[in-house]
Amino acid sequence: ALATFLHQSSGINAEYGEICQPSQKTTESQKTFKMEAGSTIVACVGAGILPTILPYFSDDVAKFLNVGSMSLSFGTQIWVGSVAGLTMFRTLKRRTFGTLQSKLFPKYATLNTACSFIALATFLHLRKLGPTESFSLLGKTMEGSALVSCLFSNVLNSLYFIPATTKLMFTLHKRERELGLEDQIGGVSPMKTEPNATESDRKTLLKFNIHHGVSMLMSLVSVGAGAAYLYFIAKNTKI
């Protein structure tokens, strides 16, 4: 059933073939960049109006939104980074894996960014803090610092690092096909050791590795800060 769903929704062919035709790669990267930036902005705007409606809800609802949003983001990141991502990496051919990730990560990044906004907005609401007071408090408390770290890293990933990494990835995929390089399960791009690769190809690969590395670092910051925030909440909770 899952294979049928992926086939119908993403166009994946049999035996883990390409999700998109080679001629569609450039268009797909442009669409991914626009979709990711657009969806993140919409999520941020939506979460931004949350403080105006929170006063109409009880504190218990605000607490549920606070803990629920951070838990959802934390759980999603653990699942994607530790279970789903590794499983797909070890099962799918590398270019297929990358293209599938380009479909999933806009949703992943938008979810994490929205959850970070919701957690921060409800935190400030429950502390009865206005815009001016909030800036001074956030840097003085571990909970506030953790929430700001989550939001900052997720926004950077959503608006720049993930779209930029995806664009570079599709550029590498295109050149690998032009050079006739084989697509295998797992591993890294063979461009670095390919004798027919140009200096421009190697520079693109280096840029991809840097962007991908920083994107992963931002995800680790978000996971660590989210775990820290949930720990502080659990520490003060009586069951």
Side-chain angles (χ1 to χ4, degrees):
L2 178 58
T4 302
F5 169 76
L6 288 174
H7 179 84
Q8 292 174 345
S9 61
S10 301
I12 189 169
N13 63 20
E15 299 299 327
Y16 305 112
E18 294 296 337
I19 292 178
C20 303
Q21 296 299 321
S23 62
Q24 295 176 313
K25 292 299 179 180
T26 302
T27 302
E28 286 295 324
S29 65
Q30 294 172 347
K31 287 182 179 179
T32 299
F33 184 89
K34 292 178 180 179
M35 180 174 65
E36 190 157 339
S39 59
T40 299
I41 292 172
V42 169
C44 292
V45 171
I49 66 173
L50 186 61
T52 63
I53 63 174
L54 278 175
Y56 297 99
F57 296 97
S58 67
D59 283 354
D60 287 339
V61 172
K63 291 176 183 178
F64 170 75
L65 290 174
N66 179 270
V67 177
S69 60
M70 187 53 64
S71 299
L72 175 61
S73 177
F74 179 73
T76 299
Q77 290 172 317
I78 293 296
W79 173 259
V80 170
S82 302
V83 182
L86 289 176
T87 302
M88 288 186 288
F89 181 75
R90 294 173 180 176
T91 304
L92 302 174
K93 290 184 177 180
R94 185 173 48 81
R95 289 198 288 264
T96 302
F97 167 74
T99 308
L100 179 58
Q101 291 291 72
S102 76
K103 303 288 187 179
L104 294 175
F105 265 71
K107 303 173 181 64
Y108 168 82
T110 300
L111 174 66
N112 289 325
T113 303
C115 286
S116 298
F117 265 109
I118 293 171
L120 182 58
T122 50
F123 175 79
L124 296 176
H125 171 74
L126 290 167
R127 295 294 181 98
K128 311 299 181 186
L129 295 171
T132 305
E133 302 160 306
S134 62
F135 286 109
S136 61
L137 173 75
L138 289 175
K140 294 180 180 179
T141 65
M142 295 299 292
E143 297 93 329
S145 298
L147 288 174
V148 170
S149 298
C150 276
L151 179 60
F152 183 71
S153 58
N154 285 326
V155 167
L156 281 179
N157 243 350
S158 298
L159 295 181
Y160 179 70
F161 286 109
I162 289 177
T165 302
T166 300
K167 186 176 181 180
L168 290 166
M169 179 193 70
F170 280 132
T171 300
L172 288 173
H173 286 184
K174 180 180 178 183
R175 283 295 293 147
E176 288 172 6
R177 290 189 185 87
E178 291 173 351
L179 293 172
L181 300 179
E182 186 178 357
D183 189 14
Q184 298 178 339
I185 294 176
V188 296
S189 175
M191 193 71 73
K192 185 177 181 179
T193 56
E194 169 58 37
N196 294 323
T198 65
E199 187 63 27
S200 177
D201 293 334
R202 294 188 174 88
K203 287 182 179 180
T204 301
L205 178 60
L206 178 61
K207 288 181 180 179
F208 169 81
N209 290 335
I210 292 173
H211 281 74
H212 187 259
V214 175
S215 178
M216 292 179 65
L217 178 61
M218 291 296 101
S219 293
L220 289 174
V221 169
S222 179
V223 171
Y229 181 75
L230 291 173
Y231 170 78
F232 293 130
I233 295 299
K235 186 178 180 181
N236 297 315
T237 300
K238 294 181 180 180
I239 299 178

